[in-house]
Amino acid sequence: MHIRPVTQSYHVCGQLKPTDMAEVAKAGYAAVICMRPDGEGWGQPKFDTIAAAAKSSNIAVHYLPVSPGSMPMEQASRLNALLKDTSGPILAFCASGARATGLYQMAQQLGL
């Protein structure tokens, strides 16, 4: 995992695996947000598998899929709400972390 901070409490990275969840929990993250649609890439784990691993590691998990090349305002609004409702650091991921960063920037414009 190559985790990059966007802010003190919002970090991004590329694809996570179910086996990463114990390490994510150990690092102190309160929530994980998957922004990668299921089936986007070969060998990509399904969200349900990641969600089960996150829950067994006591991490909240959310699914906000964003297709490459699009940044839907509805997803930015949902991210805005999650950021307000989550206490503790959040780790958001997609294929590279770029969509997770871009959607965060859109959510900021909605008034964090």
Side-chain angles (χ1 to χ4, degrees), residues 83-105:
L83 293 168
K84 289 178 180 177
D85 293 341
T86 303
S87 62
I90 295 171
L91 179 59
F93 74 92
C94 55
S96 68
R99 282 175 274 176
T101 301
L103 198 66
Y104 178 83
Q105 292 169 343

Side-chain angles (χ1 to χ4, degrees), residues 9-79:
S9 61
Y10 184 85
H11 300 167
V12 300
C13 67
Q15 179 68 55
L16 291 174
K17 299 175 287 205
T19 55
D20 293 328
M21 291 305 122
E23 186 177 342
V24 169
K26 188 177 178 180
Y29 288 98
V32 170
I33 301 173
C34 173
M35 295 187 185
R36 194 165 188 205
D38 275 347
E40 182 179 80
W42 182 85
Q44 169 190 352
K46 291 193 178 280
F47 172 73
D48 289 345
T49 306
I50 292 169
K55 288 177 184 176
S56 70
S57 294
N58 294 317
I59 303 170
V61 62
H62 306 279
Y63 188 52
L64 294 177
V66 176
S67 296
S70 73
M71 289 287 167
M73 191 56 72
E74 176 185 336
Q75 298 301 59
S77 180
R78 288 180 61 202
L79 177 58

